[in-house]
Amino acid sequence: MIYSVSALAHILGAKLLGDPNSKVEHIFYDSRNIISPTHGVFIAFSGIRNGHNFMEEAYKKSIRIFICSHIPVVHPDATYLIVENPITALQKWAHHHLSSYQGLTTIGITGSNGKTVLKEWIDQCLWDEFSIIKSPKSYNSQIGLPLSILQIDSKHNLGVFEVGISKPGEMDKQEKALHPNIGVLTNVLAAHSEYFKNKEEHILEKIKLFKHSNVIIFPNEPSISKIIREIYPDKKLVSFGEDHSDIQLLKTTLKDNIALLKISIFGKVIEYTFPFTDHASIQNVLGLLAVLNEFEFSPNFIQEKLLQLQSVSMRLELMSGINNCTIINDSFNSDYQSLEIALHFLFQQNKPKKVLILSDIFQSRMPDAELYKKIADLVNSFPLQYILLVGEKTYKYKNLFTAMYKSFLSTTEVIKFLENQSIKDATILIKGARKFELEKVAQLLVVQSHDTILEVNLHSLLMNVNYFKSQLKPETKIIAMVKASSYGLGNFEVAEVLQYYHIDYLAVAYPDEGFKLRDKGIYLPIMVMNPEMSSYDRVIDYKLEPEIYSFRELDLFIQKLKEKNTAKRYPIHIKIDTGMHRLGFQPEETRKLGELLKDNDWIEVKSVFSHFAVSDVLEEEKFTRLQASKLNYSFDILVTILGYKPLLHISNSTGIINYPEYQFDAVRLGIGMYGYIDNEKALKKLENVITLKTVISNIHELKPGETVGYGRRFIVQKNRSIATLPIGYADGIRRIIGNGKGYVNIQGKKAPIIGNICMDMMMVDVTGIACKEGDTVIIIGENPSLKKYAEWYQTIPYEVLTSISPRVKRIYYRE
Ligand SMILES: *Cc1c(COP(=O)(O)O)cnc(C)c1O
C-alpha cells in the first residue's frame, strides 16, 4: 500500500496542512506500537483512549504524517490531514482501496460467534488455491476491518474478512468499507443482543452487511431465515443446518476422535470424515461446506482439506518458563500478520531480553525471496536479542536477519540445542507453522505444573477498566487497586498490563507488594495503604507513596525523610476517617493536621481521601452522603491551610456506579475490573476475567451400593459415572460445597460435586454427560460464577477470588 498525501487528502475529503508529496505506507494508531516510522501515518481515533493525546508521543517517535480531527500541537515539519471523524475517514480509505482491486473475490463473515474459526478454516482449505488476504486474528471492529482491507495488494485474489458490530448503526459503516461478494452469517445469539431491543432487530442489523452480496449463506433457523428471505428475495440464498436446509446435516456418528457426517448438499448426499466432534465445530463445518460449495470444489478435494483442518487458537498466552523466562506460545498460527501481532505482544512485556523462535512460514503464495525479505524486514524492526530459526526456508534466508541468530533445519535440532544451552531471564516468542510442532519446544521451556490452572483474561480486564472509564468524566483519574496480588490474580502481571495502558495510579496494601512491583519494572506511582513503619526505609528507596492515617505515623515518616535527607518533597496521601473507623484522621483533627503539614518542606500532600463503607447498599444512601460531606469538609480546610490542591478521592467500584457525583478527582477501582460488581445492571456490562480450570483425571463406572471418597459420604443408588478431578481444598475449593452442594461445568453441563472434597482432589457425577478423561472442567468462571461461589460459601466474591491458592498456576492471555 503506497499513497501520496495529496491523493489521500482527496480520498478522505480532508483538509491538508503540510507537504502534499509525502508518502504513506503504513498505519499506526497506537503510539506504543510505532517501530519503523518512515512513511507511517498516525491516525488519532477519539475513543476512550483519545489518540489526539498521543500525537505528541508519535511525533517524538518520528511520525510526521497525521490524520486527526484537530491538532493539539502544530509542528512545522509535520503534515496533517484534518477530518471530521478519523474512524469514518479510515473506512472511506478502505472502501477506496478495495474498489481499486476489481479482480478480488471477497467473503464477509459476521455473526455472534464462530467468525474467526470459519475465516481461518476457509484459509486453511484454500491457501494454496488462491492468494488470500484475511483479517488477522479477530480483527473485525470498526478499526480492525478497514485496517485489514488496507493490506490488500495486487497479488491477492481472495479476501476473507470478519465483520463485527456491537451496537446498532455500525454495520452500515462496516458495509461501506467492505461489500462482500459472498456474505456469511454464522449465527445470532440472544446473549449478545444487549444493545438491541430484540433478536429481530439484531438480525436486521447484522444482515445489512449483505446489501451488495450475490450469495448469502446463513443458518437455517426460523427467525433468521424468515428475515433474510423477506429482505433479500432476489439474491442466491444458501441455508445450512438440520431440517430442510440446502446444506443439511442428515446424520452424525461419533467414533473415537472423529465424526462421520452425512450431509446433503442441494440434495446430493455425501459422507465426510471430520476431525472434530464437538457441537460448535460441527456447526462451523456446515458453514465452511456452504462456502466451499460456492467454489465448486469436488468432494474428494473437500474431504482431503477437512482432514487437515486445525483448531484455531485466537489468543496469545503468557506462561512462566524455566530459568526465569516468560513464554509466549503461538505455534498454531503462521502468517505475516499474526507474526506482526505476536511481535508487538512480545515487546509489550517488561523483561528487556527478547528472543524469537521462528519456523518457515507457509500460508502465502508470495515467491520465497520476497516473502522472507518481508518477514526479515518486519523482524529486524524489533530489537531482538536472539533469533532461533527452524526449517529449510529460513535456513536459506538466514542472512537477511540482523539480530544474532542460529538456524536449524528441524525442530529436533532446536530441541537438542535448547537442552544443552539455556536461555535465561528472557521473554521468548515461539511462532511457527503447525507442521513444525513447535509446541514441543514450548513444552521444554515452560515450567511444568499440574492440570489445574487459573486463566486470567487480560483483555477482558482492560475492557472492564474501559467500561468504568466510560462511566467517568474524561479527566477523572483511575487508581487501580492491585493489592493482595491483584485480588489473587498474580503478583505483577495485572499491574504490567495496566501500566502499558497508561493507568494513572496503582495502589497496594503493604510495602512488600509494592517492592515486588518495582522489581518487576513497574514505574507508575504506587500508593501503599498500610505502610508498616518498619519498612519506611525501603518504602522511600522504592519511591512508594504512603497513606498517612495518624499523627504518630506522620511524625515517624517525616523523621525518616529527614534522616535520609531526601532531595524533593515526598508525596504522601492523607486518609480521613469519615465513618469506616478503620484507619484515618478524624475530621475534627483536620485543622491540627493542616498546621503540621503547612510549610513542611519534606512532604507534599498528593491526595486526600477516604473510603466508603456502604456504597453498595442503596438504603444506606444517607450514610454515604454524610461520608462524602465529611471528606469535603476536611479537604476544604486542608486546601485553605496548605495553599495548594491535592487530589480528592473516595469512590470504590460500586461508588463509581451508584454515586457518580462523588468521583471527584480520582476513583479507586478494584473488584469491578476483575469482573464482579454488586450491581446487576453494571455486572451485565462486565466481562468475565478469571477461569479456574482443570481436567478429568479418571472416570469410574460405579454400581449401586458402592461409595465414593472419605467417610463414604456418597452411596451409589443407580449406575453412575464418577469423574475424579485434580483439585481440592488445598487449591482453595472449600469442603462445604462437597456432597452435592456445588457443581462444576463439563461441556456446558452441571456435574454435581459428590462425597467430601479431599485436599488435592474431588469427585463429580458425570452420569449422562458425554465426556472422557483429559476433558476440560470449569470450576469457577462464567458458570459457576464468583457470585455463585459467594452464595455457596456464604461470603463475598472478593473472598472467593483471593482464596484461590497460590499453588494454582496462573496463565495470562490477551485475545
Ligand atoms: C480495596 C479497596 C478499594 C477497592 O474496592 P472495590 O470494592 O474492590 O472496588 C478502594 N479503596 C480502598 C481503600 C481499598 O482498600
Side-chain angles (χ1 to χ4, degrees), residues 297-346:
F297 288 111
S298 73
N300 281 345
F301 172 92
I302 292 174
Q303 177 63 77
E304 188 191 322
K305 295 293 173 186
L306 290 187
L307 287 175
Q308 292 166 7
L309 286 182
Q310 290 153 9
S311 61
V312 175
S313 160
M314 273 165 288
R315 56 198 211 187
L316 292 166
E317 285 181 347
L318 281 182
M319 289 175 279
S320 312
I322 52 175
N323 303 317
N324 195 30
C325 288
T326 305
I327 312 295
I328 304 169
N329 180 13
D330 196 18
S331 56
F332 309 102
N333 248 300
S334 143
D335 55 71
Y336 178 86
Q337 278 161 334
S338 71
L339 175 62
E340 187 175 5
I341 294 169
L343 282 166
H344 281 299
F345 187 66
L346 173 66

Short mmCIF file of all heavy atoms in Angstrom, two decimals, residues 297-346:
data_model
loop_
_atom_site.label_atom_id
_atom_site.label_comp_id
_atom_site.label_asym_id
_atom_site.label_seq_id
_atom_site.Cartn_x
_atom_site.Cartn_y
_atom_site.Cartn_z
N PHE A 297 -15.76 -27.01 -5.55
CA PHE A 297 -14.69 -27.99 -5.39
C PHE A 297 -15.29 -29.39 -5.32
O PHE A 297 -16.43 -29.56 -4.92
CB PHE A 297 -13.90 -27.71 -4.11
CG PHE A 297 -13.03 -26.50 -4.20
CD1 PHE A 297 -13.31 -25.36 -3.45
CD2 PHE A 297 -11.93 -26.49 -5.06
CE1 PHE A 297 -12.52 -24.24 -3.55
CE2 PHE A 297 -11.13 -25.36 -5.16
CZ PHE A 297 -11.43 -24.24 -4.41
N SER A 298 -14.49 -30.39 -5.69
CA SER A 298 -15.01 -31.76 -5.69
C SER A 298 -15.04 -32.31 -4.27
O SER A 298 -14.27 -31.88 -3.42
CB SER A 298 -14.10 -32.64 -6.55
OG SER A 298 -12.90 -32.85 -5.83
N PRO A 299 -15.94 -33.28 -4.01
CA PRO A 299 -16.00 -33.89 -2.68
C PRO A 299 -14.65 -34.46 -2.24
O PRO A 299 -14.29 -34.36 -1.06
CB PRO A 299 -17.03 -35.01 -2.84
CG PRO A 299 -17.90 -34.56 -3.97
CD PRO A 299 -17.01 -33.78 -4.90
N ASN A 300 -13.87 -35.00 -3.16
CA ASN A 300 -12.57 -35.56 -2.78
C ASN A 300 -11.63 -34.48 -2.27
O ASN A 300 -10.93 -34.65 -1.27
CB ASN A 300 -11.89 -36.24 -3.99
CG ASN A 300 -12.48 -37.62 -4.20
OD1 ASN A 300 -13.17 -38.15 -3.31
ND2 ASN A 300 -12.26 -38.17 -5.39
N PHE A 301 -11.63 -33.38 -3.00
CA PHE A 301 -10.81 -32.24 -2.59
C PHE A 301 -11.24 -31.79 -1.20
O PHE A 301 -10.42 -31.59 -0.30
CB PHE A 301 -10.98 -31.11 -3.61
CG PHE A 301 -10.33 -29.81 -3.21
CD1 PHE A 301 -9.03 -29.52 -3.61
CD2 PHE A 301 -11.02 -28.88 -2.43
CE1 PHE A 301 -8.43 -28.31 -3.24
CE2 PHE A 301 -10.43 -27.68 -2.05
CZ PHE A 301 -9.13 -27.40 -2.46
N ILE A 302 -12.54 -31.65 -1.03
CA ILE A 302 -13.05 -31.14 0.25
C ILE A 302 -12.70 -32.10 1.39
O ILE A 302 -12.24 -31.68 2.45
CB ILE A 302 -14.57 -30.89 0.16
CG1 ILE A 302 -14.84 -29.73 -0.81
CG2 ILE A 302 -15.17 -30.59 1.53
CD1 ILE A 302 -16.29 -29.46 -1.11
N GLN A 303 -12.88 -33.40 1.14
CA GLN A 303 -12.55 -34.38 2.18
C GLN A 303 -11.07 -34.27 2.60
O GLN A 303 -10.75 -34.25 3.78
CB GLN A 303 -12.83 -35.80 1.68
CG GLN A 303 -12.42 -36.87 2.70
CD GLN A 303 -13.21 -36.76 4.01
OE1 GLN A 303 -14.36 -37.16 4.10
NE2 GLN A 303 -12.59 -36.17 5.03
N GLU A 304 -10.21 -34.14 1.61
CA GLU A 304 -8.78 -34.04 1.91
C GLU A 304 -8.49 -32.81 2.78
O GLU A 304 -7.74 -32.85 3.75
CB GLU A 304 -8.04 -33.94 0.57
CG GLU A 304 -6.56 -34.01 0.66
CD GLU A 304 -5.93 -33.64 -0.69
OE1 GLU A 304 -6.51 -34.03 -1.75
OE2 GLU A 304 -4.91 -32.94 -0.69
N LYS A 305 -9.16 -31.70 2.45
CA LYS A 305 -8.95 -30.47 3.20
C LYS A 305 -9.52 -30.58 4.62
O LYS A 305 -8.92 -30.09 5.58
CB LYS A 305 -9.61 -29.28 2.49
CG LYS A 305 -8.99 -28.98 1.15
CD LYS A 305 -7.57 -28.49 1.33
CE LYS A 305 -6.88 -28.34 0.00
NZ LYS A 305 -5.47 -27.99 0.14
N LEU A 306 -10.70 -31.20 4.73
CA LEU A 306 -11.32 -31.31 6.07
C LEU A 306 -10.39 -32.06 7.02
O LEU A 306 -10.26 -31.69 8.19
CB LEU A 306 -12.66 -32.05 5.99
CG LEU A 306 -13.83 -31.33 5.31
CD1 LEU A 306 -15.11 -32.14 5.48
CD2 LEU A 306 -14.02 -29.92 5.86
N LEU A 307 -9.75 -33.10 6.51
CA LEU A 307 -8.88 -33.90 7.37
C LEU A 307 -7.66 -33.11 7.86
O LEU A 307 -7.05 -33.45 8.85
CB LEU A 307 -8.44 -35.17 6.65
CG LEU A 307 -9.55 -36.22 6.50
CD1 LEU A 307 -9.07 -37.40 5.68
CD2 LEU A 307 -10.04 -36.69 7.88
N GLN A 308 -7.34 -32.06 7.11
CA GLN A 308 -6.17 -31.26 7.52
C GLN A 308 -6.53 -30.08 8.41
O GLN A 308 -5.66 -29.32 8.81
CB GLN A 308 -5.45 -30.74 6.28
CG GLN A 308 -4.79 -31.84 5.47
CD GLN A 308 -4.38 -31.35 4.10
OE1 GLN A 308 -4.46 -30.17 3.79
NE2 GLN A 308 -3.94 -32.27 3.25
N LEU A 309 -7.82 -29.90 8.70
CA LEU A 309 -8.21 -28.72 9.49
C LEU A 309 -7.57 -28.77 10.88
O LEU A 309 -7.46 -29.82 11.48
CB LEU A 309 -9.72 -28.66 9.64
CG LEU A 309 -10.52 -28.24 8.42
CD1 LEU A 309 -12.00 -28.19 8.76
CD2 LEU A 309 -10.06 -26.90 7.88
N GLN A 310 -7.18 -27.59 11.33
CA GLN A 310 -6.57 -27.50 12.66
C GLN A 310 -7.39 -26.59 13.54
O GLN A 310 -8.06 -25.70 13.04
CB GLN A 310 -5.17 -26.91 12.51
CG GLN A 310 -4.23 -27.87 11.84
CD GLN A 310 -3.12 -27.15 11.14
OE1 GLN A 310 -2.96 -25.94 11.28
NE2 GLN A 310 -2.34 -27.88 10.37
N SER A 311 -7.28 -26.85 14.83
CA SER A 311 -8.06 -25.99 15.72
C SER A 311 -7.44 -24.59 15.70
O SER A 311 -6.25 -24.43 15.47
CB SER A 311 -8.12 -26.55 17.12
OG SER A 311 -6.83 -26.63 17.62
N VAL A 312 -8.27 -23.62 15.92
CA VAL A 312 -7.84 -22.24 15.78
C VAL A 312 -7.65 -21.65 17.16
O VAL A 312 -8.57 -21.60 17.95
CB VAL A 312 -8.93 -21.45 15.01
CG1 VAL A 312 -8.57 -19.98 14.95
CG2 VAL A 312 -9.12 -22.03 13.63
N SER A 313 -6.42 -21.24 17.44
CA SER A 313 -6.18 -20.62 18.73
C SER A 313 -6.17 -19.12 18.51
O SER A 313 -5.42 -18.61 17.70
CB SER A 313 -4.84 -21.09 19.27
OG SER A 313 -4.40 -20.19 20.24
N MET A 314 -7.04 -18.41 19.22
CA MET A 314 -7.19 -17.00 18.92
C MET A 314 -6.44 -16.10 19.88
O MET A 314 -6.59 -14.92 19.91
CB MET A 314 -8.65 -16.64 18.96
CG MET A 314 -9.29 -16.89 17.64
SD MET A 314 -11.05 -16.88 17.77
CE MET A 314 -11.37 -18.38 18.62
N ARG A 315 -5.67 -16.72 20.74
CA ARG A 315 -5.13 -15.85 21.76
C ARG A 315 -3.65 -16.11 21.98
O ARG A 315 -3.12 -17.16 21.66
CB ARG A 315 -5.90 -16.09 23.04
CG ARG A 315 -5.84 -17.55 23.39
CD ARG A 315 -6.93 -17.88 24.36
NE ARG A 315 -6.42 -18.95 25.19
CZ ARG A 315 -7.14 -19.59 26.08
NH1 ARG A 315 -8.40 -19.25 26.24
NH2 ARG A 315 -6.63 -20.52 26.79
N LEU A 316 -3.02 -15.14 22.55
CA LEU A 316 -1.61 -15.25 22.88
C LEU A 316 -1.52 -15.49 24.38
O LEU A 316 -2.05 -14.72 25.15
CB LEU A 316 -0.90 -13.96 22.50
CG LEU A 316 -0.83 -13.72 21.00
CD1 LEU A 316 -0.44 -12.28 20.71
CD2 LEU A 316 0.16 -14.67 20.36
N GLU A 317 -0.84 -16.56 24.75
CA GLU A 317 -0.76 -16.89 26.17
C GLU A 317 0.63 -16.63 26.71
O GLU A 317 1.62 -16.92 26.05
CB GLU A 317 -1.04 -18.38 26.37
CG GLU A 317 -2.48 -18.73 26.24
CD GLU A 317 -2.72 -20.22 26.48
OE1 GLU A 317 -1.75 -20.99 26.50
OE2 GLU A 317 -3.88 -20.58 26.65
N LEU A 318 0.67 -16.09 27.91
CA LEU A 318 1.95 -15.92 28.58
C LEU A 318 2.10 -17.03 29.59
O LEU A 318 1.19 -17.24 30.38
CB LEU A 318 1.95 -14.62 29.37
CG LEU A 318 2.17 -13.32 28.66
CD1 LEU A 318 2.16 -12.20 29.71
CD2 LEU A 318 3.49 -13.31 27.94
N MET A 319 3.21 -17.74 29.56
CA MET A 319 3.39 -18.79 30.55
C MET A 319 4.74 -18.63 31.23
O MET A 319 5.69 -18.14 30.62
CB MET A 319 3.32 -20.14 29.86
CG MET A 319 1.91 -20.47 29.42
SD MET A 319 1.85 -21.98 28.48
CE MET A 319 2.35 -21.40 26.89
N SER A 320 4.81 -19.06 32.49
CA SER A 320 6.11 -19.00 33.17
C SER A 320 7.02 -20.04 32.58
O SER A 320 6.62 -21.20 32.44
CB SER A 320 5.97 -19.29 34.64
OG SER A 320 4.93 -18.57 35.16
N GLY A 321 8.23 -19.65 32.26
CA GLY A 321 9.18 -20.58 31.69
C GLY A 321 10.26 -20.95 32.68
O GLY A 321 10.34 -20.36 33.77
N ILE A 322 11.10 -21.90 32.30
CA ILE A 322 12.23 -22.25 33.15
C ILE A 322 13.28 -21.13 33.06
O ILE A 322 13.21 -20.30 32.16
CB ILE A 322 12.84 -23.61 32.73
CG1 ILE A 322 13.15 -23.62 31.24
CG2 ILE A 322 11.89 -24.74 33.07
CD1 ILE A 322 13.86 -24.87 30.76
N ASN A 323 14.22 -21.10 33.97
CA ASN A 323 15.29 -20.09 34.00
C ASN A 323 14.76 -18.66 34.01
O ASN A 323 15.27 -17.78 33.32
CB ASN A 323 16.25 -20.23 32.82
CG ASN A 323 16.86 -21.60 32.75
OD1 ASN A 323 17.25 -22.15 33.77
ND2 ASN A 323 16.89 -22.17 31.56
N ASN A 324 13.67 -18.45 34.76
CA ASN A 324 13.09 -17.11 34.88
C ASN A 324 12.71 -16.50 33.53
O ASN A 324 12.81 -15.30 33.31
CB ASN A 324 14.06 -16.19 35.64
CG ASN A 324 13.38 -14.93 36.10
OD1 ASN A 324 12.18 -14.93 36.37
ND2 ASN A 324 14.13 -13.84 36.14
N CYS A 325 12.28 -17.32 32.60
CA CYS A 325 11.79 -16.81 31.32
C CYS A 325 10.28 -16.73 31.32
O CYS A 325 9.61 -17.31 32.17
CB CYS A 325 12.23 -17.73 30.17
SG CYS A 325 13.98 -17.61 29.82
N THR A 326 9.75 -15.98 30.37
CA THR A 326 8.31 -15.98 30.13
C THR A 326 8.12 -16.46 28.70
O THR A 326 8.87 -16.04 27.81
CB THR A 326 7.74 -14.55 30.27
OG1 THR A 326 8.11 -14.07 31.55
CG2 THR A 326 6.24 -14.54 30.13
N ILE A 327 7.16 -17.35 28.49
CA ILE A 327 7.00 -17.94 27.17
C ILE A 327 5.68 -17.51 26.55
O ILE A 327 4.64 -17.54 27.18
CB ILE A 327 6.98 -19.49 27.27
CG1 ILE A 327 8.12 -20.00 28.15
CG2 ILE A 327 6.99 -20.13 25.89
CD1 ILE A 327 9.50 -19.75 27.61
N ILE A 328 5.74 -17.10 25.29
CA ILE A 328 4.51 -16.84 24.53
C ILE A 328 4.46 -17.91 23.46
O ILE A 328 5.32 -17.96 22.57
CB ILE A 328 4.54 -15.47 23.86
CG1 ILE A 328 4.77 -14.36 24.89
CG2 ILE A 328 3.23 -15.22 23.10
CD1 ILE A 328 5.06 -13.00 24.27
N ASN A 329 3.49 -18.80 23.57
CA ASN A 329 3.43 -19.90 22.62
C ASN A 329 2.38 -19.60 21.55
O ASN A 329 1.20 -19.60 21.81
CB ASN A 329 3.07 -21.19 23.35
CG ASN A 329 2.99 -22.36 22.40
OD1 ASN A 329 3.43 -22.28 21.25
ND2 ASN A 329 2.41 -23.46 22.86
N ASP A 330 2.82 -19.29 20.36
CA ASP A 330 1.88 -19.03 19.26
C ASP A 330 2.25 -19.95 18.10
O ASP A 330 2.47 -19.53 16.98
CB ASP A 330 1.96 -17.56 18.85
CG ASP A 330 0.76 -17.13 18.01
OD1 ASP A 330 -0.27 -17.83 18.03
OD2 ASP A 330 0.85 -16.10 17.32
N SER A 331 2.34 -21.25 18.43
CA SER A 331 2.82 -22.18 17.42
C SER A 331 1.69 -22.78 16.60
O SER A 331 1.83 -23.83 16.01
CB SER A 331 3.66 -23.27 18.08
OG SER A 331 2.91 -23.91 19.08
N PHE A 332 0.52 -22.12 16.58
CA PHE A 332 -0.62 -22.65 15.83
C PHE A 332 -0.93 -21.81 14.61
O PHE A 332 -1.70 -22.19 13.75
CB PHE A 332 -1.86 -22.72 16.71
CG PHE A 332 -1.59 -23.40 18.00
CD1 PHE A 332 -1.40 -22.67 19.15
CD2 PHE A 332 -1.46 -24.77 18.05
CE1 PHE A 332 -1.12 -23.30 20.35
CE2 PHE A 332 -1.18 -25.41 19.25
CZ PHE A 332 -1.01 -24.68 20.39
N ASN A 333 -0.36 -20.62 14.56
CA ASN A 333 -0.72 -19.65 13.57
C ASN A 333 0.54 -19.26 12.85
O ASN A 333 1.52 -18.95 13.48
CB ASN A 333 -1.18 -18.39 14.30
CG ASN A 333 -2.64 -18.16 14.09
OD1 ASN A 333 -3.08 -18.01 12.96
ND2 ASN A 333 -3.37 -18.12 15.18
N SER A 334 0.52 -19.26 11.55
CA SER A 334 1.75 -18.88 10.90
C SER A 334 1.44 -18.08 9.66
O SER A 334 1.11 -18.62 8.62
CB SER A 334 2.54 -20.14 10.57
OG SER A 334 3.20 -20.02 9.37
N ASP A 335 1.46 -16.78 9.78
CA ASP A 335 1.40 -15.91 8.62
C ASP A 335 1.98 -14.58 9.03
O ASP A 335 2.23 -14.33 10.21
CB ASP A 335 -0.04 -15.76 8.11
CG ASP A 335 -0.98 -15.28 9.18
OD1 ASP A 335 -0.87 -14.11 9.56
OD2 ASP A 335 -1.80 -16.08 9.66
N TYR A 336 2.21 -13.73 8.05
CA TYR A 336 2.91 -12.48 8.29
C TYR A 336 2.21 -11.64 9.35
O TYR A 336 2.82 -11.15 10.29
CB TYR A 336 3.02 -11.71 6.97
CG TYR A 336 3.69 -10.37 7.11
CD1 TYR A 336 5.08 -10.27 7.03
CD2 TYR A 336 2.95 -9.22 7.32
CE1 TYR A 336 5.70 -9.05 7.17
CE2 TYR A 336 3.56 -8.00 7.46
CZ TYR A 336 4.94 -7.90 7.38
OH TYR A 336 5.55 -6.70 7.52
N GLN A 337 0.87 -11.49 9.19
CA GLN A 337 0.19 -10.56 10.09
C GLN A 337 0.13 -11.06 11.52
O GLN A 337 0.27 -10.29 12.46
CB GLN A 337 -1.21 -10.27 9.57
CG GLN A 337 -1.12 -9.21 8.51
CD GLN A 337 -2.35 -9.18 7.64
OE1 GLN A 337 -3.04 -10.18 7.49
NE2 GLN A 337 -2.62 -8.04 7.08
N SER A 338 -0.07 -12.38 11.68
CA SER A 338 -0.11 -12.85 13.06
C SER A 338 1.30 -12.78 13.67
O SER A 338 1.44 -12.61 14.88
CB SER A 338 -0.72 -14.24 13.16
OG SER A 338 0.14 -15.20 12.63
N LEU A 339 2.32 -12.86 12.84
CA LEU A 339 3.69 -12.68 13.35
C LEU A 339 3.86 -11.24 13.85
O LEU A 339 4.43 -10.99 14.91
CB LEU A 339 4.71 -12.99 12.25
CG LEU A 339 6.18 -12.71 12.60
CD1 LEU A 339 6.64 -13.57 13.77
CD2 LEU A 339 7.09 -12.94 11.39
N GLU A 340 3.31 -10.32 13.09
CA GLU A 340 3.42 -8.91 13.48
C GLU A 340 2.72 -8.66 14.83
O GLU A 340 3.28 -8.03 15.72
CB GLU A 340 2.80 -8.03 12.39
CG GLU A 340 3.04 -6.56 12.65
CD GLU A 340 2.54 -5.68 11.51
OE1 GLU A 340 1.93 -6.21 10.57
OE2 GLU A 340 2.76 -4.47 11.59
N ILE A 341 1.51 -9.21 14.96
CA ILE A 341 0.77 -9.02 16.21
C ILE A 341 1.53 -9.65 17.38
O ILE A 341 1.67 -9.07 18.45
CB ILE A 341 -0.62 -9.67 16.09
CG1 ILE A 341 -1.45 -8.91 15.05
CG2 ILE A 341 -1.34 -9.67 17.44
CD1 ILE A 341 -2.74 -9.61 14.68
N ALA A 342 2.06 -10.86 17.13
CA ALA A 342 2.76 -11.56 18.20
C ALA A 342 4.04 -10.81 18.60
O ALA A 342 4.38 -10.74 19.78
CB ALA A 342 3.08 -12.99 17.77
N LEU A 343 4.73 -10.23 17.63
CA LEU A 343 5.94 -9.46 17.97
C LEU A 343 5.59 -8.24 18.81
O LEU A 343 6.28 -7.92 19.77
CB LEU A 343 6.67 -9.04 16.69
CG LEU A 343 7.49 -10.13 16.01
CD1 LEU A 343 7.89 -9.72 14.60
CD2 LEU A 343 8.74 -10.47 16.82
N HIS A 344 4.50 -7.58 18.47
CA HIS A 344 4.08 -6.44 19.29
C HIS A 344 3.77 -6.90 20.71
O HIS A 344 4.14 -6.26 21.68
CB HIS A 344 2.87 -5.74 18.68
CG HIS A 344 3.24 -4.83 17.55
ND1 HIS A 344 4.08 -3.75 17.72
CD2 HIS A 344 2.90 -4.84 16.24
CE1 HIS A 344 4.24 -3.14 16.57
NE2 HIS A 344 3.53 -3.78 15.64
N PHE A 345 3.09 -8.03 20.81
CA PHE A 345 2.76 -8.57 22.14
C PHE A 345 4.05 -8.88 22.91
O PHE A 345 4.17 -8.57 24.08
CB PHE A 345 1.90 -9.82 21.96
CG PHE A 345 1.36 -10.37 23.25
CD1 PHE A 345 0.45 -9.65 24.01
CD2 PHE A 345 1.75 -11.62 23.71
CE1 PHE A 345 -0.07 -10.17 25.19
CE2 PHE A 345 1.25 -12.14 24.89
CZ PHE A 345 0.34 -11.40 25.64
N LEU A 346 5.02 -9.45 22.21
CA LEU A 346 6.31 -9.76 22.83
C LEU A 346 6.95 -8.48 23.39
O LEU A 346 7.47 -8.46 24.50
CB LEU A 346 7.23 -10.41 21.79
CG LEU A 346 8.69 -10.65 22.17
CD1 LEU A 346 8.77 -11.69 23.29
CD2 LEU A 346 9.49 -11.13 20.97
#
